[in-house]
Amino acid sequence: MTSTLDIKIEKTPKSRVTEYDINNVPFGKCFSDHMFVAEYSNGAWNKAYIAPYQDVPMSYAMSALHYGQAIFEGMKAYKNDKGEVSMFRPVENLKRMNKSAIRMAMPEVPQDLFMKGLNELLKLDSAWVPSSDTGSLYIRPFLIATDEAIGVKISDTYKFVIITCPAGKYYSEPIKVLVETNYFRAVHGGVGFVKAAGNYGRSLYPTKLAQQKGYQQVIWTDSETKLYFEESGTMNVMFFIGDTLLTPGLSDTILDGITRDSVLTLARDWGMKVEERKVSIKEVLEAQQNGTLKEVFGCGTAATIAQIIGIGHNGKDYMLPPVEERKFSTKVDETLRAIRKGRAEDRHHWMLKVG
Ligand SMILES: Cc1ncc(COP(=O)(O)O)c(C=O)c1O
């Protein structure tokens, strides 16, 4: 699908970038100068522009607010040592966004509109991309239904928007996670495999309960048997047991993470044994008991690698090997950072330069 829309650009009269220490801002709270917006109506994308970051004038009847036709993506851009800005695997995000759009009965976003919008926005706001080793520009593309109408039906109008914010480290410490067997993130036939806004709303209450018990996140289990791990919070989850990297195989209840795919690709490049299949709570806890469980970590765009240091299950905490001993995930984290910062060979062509 293509679109030949021109992007009109209205620049901010005054950049706000000097008001922040962009190498040191809390995640998701400070937004760059500009945003990209594309509008859909009458069955077509018919307007695209970049404007100063601003609030949206909208109706309280806007259908996204009531019926949840709202999807989003999360991706990042990095600045290399020469000051050049590149995005990490943006086409994968577009593909996933359009998978989400189809499932939520929303219009797909044409590739050239998505890529041109991103490129122009990042060119304009390149000063907002942190240059620090762990810094990046977090990019949030999202698509919302904008019909002013009460009544459950597919919206006729939509806005596709991209906003960005500088980001540092997501988790400053390794995390403890609670195995969740009362509440479920996803069910077969549902929308767990896409980034629908409602997936995140439903996760907040169980996460709050876990946090009240002293855990930072939950590990979701499958709703049918409650015996298998699915994801951890908003990350895919990986286990290094013996000499094998294990991760739950993809299904309609698991988000197809781009970091997950990148980690698996590197592991295979390095000749490691990798298994994508159902991973049971029992086998992981047994491996913890017999000393073969070497590493557990979450992986996702926001954190890249989030080390999991403890797993709570049925009232018991299972503590895991210290982060200093985790050779694989440390190497993955360093390798991904080196590729993103232009310091290591990008053999899979993951980086796309802005310009
Ligand atoms: C539920 C869920 N799982 C996994 C991920 C990791 O996906 P990615 O690596 O593409 O960020 C995310 C983040 O997007 C997520 O929200």
Side-chain angles (χ1 to χ4, degrees):
M1 204 194 335
T2 58
S3 133
T4 50
L5 278 184
D6 278 339
I7 300 174
K8 298 213 168 43
I9 298 181
E10 180 199 338
K11 285 192 193 169
T12 182
K14 188 174 181 308
S15 173
R16 290 175 285 104
V17 71
T18 51
E19 292 171 23
Y20 301 94
D21 171 7
I22 59 160
N23 286 303
N24 197 16
V25 282
F27 183 83
K29 297 239 165 91
C30 130
F31 296 93
S32 321
D33 282 328
H34 298 92
M35 59 192 220
F36 171 79
V37 181
E39 295 181 4
Y40 181 95
S41 59
N42 298 319
W45 292 98
N46 47 41
K47 193 170 170 191
Y49 56 92
I50 286 175
Y53 177 81
Q54 60 196 271
D55 293 344
V56 205
M58 64 175 192
S59 160
Y60 284 108
M62 185 169 87
S63 57
L65 299 178
H66 298 263
Y67 309 117
Q69 262 193 307
I71 59 173
F72 68 95
E73 271 303 320
M75 48 190 285
K76 280 182 171 174
Y78 299 82
K79 199 169 259 178
N80 69 16
D81 297 335
K82 290 187 244 159
E84 296 162 337
V85 175
S86 299
M87 297 176 269
F88 184 71
R89 308 190 70 180
V91 176
E92 299 307 313
N93 290 91
L94 169 71
K95 285 187 194 155
R96 192 169 65 189
M97 174 124 194
N98 283 339
K99 229 184 337 178
S100 303
I102 292 168
R103 178 61 181 84
M104 298 302 288
M106 301 167 90
E108 291 174 65
V109 177
Q111 179 157 339
D112 61 342
L113 187 65
F114 185 91
M115 296 308 296
K116 229 161 64 180
L118 261 180
N119 192 62
E120 293 305 314
L121 186 65
L122 295 202
K123 256 197 316 198
L124 209 54
D125 281 345
S126 63
W128 288 85
V129 187
S131 52
S132 64
D133 254 20
T134 51
S136 59
L137 188 75
Y138 184 82
I139 304 168
R140 167 55 55 86
F142 60 100
L143 178 62
I144 49 174
T146 54
D147 273 10
E148 183 181 10
I150 297 291
V152 182
K153 72 172 221 2
I154 295 174
S155 181
D156 292 322
T157 61
Y158 296 87
K159 273 197 166 80
F160 169 61
V161 184
I162 309 174
I163 55 177
T164 70
C165 48
K169 268 191 125 177
Y170 194 70
Y171 290 113
S172 48
E173 299 290 334
I175 57 173
K176 255 174 74 185
V177 296
L178 180 66
V179 178
E180 178 56 72
T181 52
N182 293 312
Y183 299 95
F184 302 97
R185 193 191 81 87
V187 294
H188 287 306
V191 294
F193 67 109
V194 299
K195 280 183 82 80
N199 283 346
Y200 299 83
R202 71 186 287 176
S203 74
L204 298 176
Y205 180 66
T207 307
K208 179 174 100 170
L209 296 182
Q211 287 171 350
Q212 283 169 350
K213 292 183 191 147
Y215 300 90
Q216 283 75 39
Q217 265 302 346
V218 296
I219 293 203
W220 303 107
T221 55
D222 75 291
S223 66
E224 281 179 338
T225 68
K226 310 175 188 183
L227 298 177
Y228 298 96
F229 290 120
E230 297 233 300
E231 305 200 45
S232 177
T234 60
M235 298 180 292
N236 295 109
V237 64
M238 301 212 175
F239 306 86
F240 197 69
I241 299 181
D243 62 352
T244 305
L245 180 66
L246 275 177
T247 194
L250 294 176
S251 79
D252 64 354
T253 59
I254 292 181
L255 193 83
D256 184 358
I258 294 157
T259 318
R260 173 188 183 279
D261 180 73
S262 309
V263 173
L264 296 179
T265 302
L266 288 178
R268 289 183 173 118
D269 282 355
W270 297 335
M272 289 176 49
K273 264 167 72 180
V274 173
E275 289 179 16
E276 295 177 67
R277 59 161 171 84
K278 285 185 170 201
V279 180
S280 72
I281 302 170
K282 186 163 168 273
E283 72 180 300
V284 168
L285 297 185
E286 276 175 7
Q288 188 270 353
Q289 301 278 289
N290 68 27
T292 52
L293 178 58
K294 295 178 181 152
E295 309 189 25
V296 182
F297 56 94
C299 53
T301 295
T304 302
I305 301 292
Q307 296 292 356
I308 295 176
I309 196 73
I311 299 178
H313 180 59
N314 280 347
K316 190 170 165 198
D317 274 350
Y318 296 80
M319 295 316 286
L320 306 172
V323 172
E324 301 74 60
E325 291 174 13
R326 301 180 179 199
K327 291 204 184 87
F328 171 71
S329 47
T330 304
K331 186 174 167 194
V332 166
D333 207 12
E334 286 168 1
T335 305
L336 282 173
R337 187 169 315 136
I339 293 170
R340 288 161 169 168
K341 296 297 267 179
R343 294 173 192 154
E345 188 199 353
D346 176 19
R347 58 181 288 213
H348 297 287
H349 308 290
W350 283 339
M351 304 308 294
L352 185 70
K353 204 146 118 193
V354 169

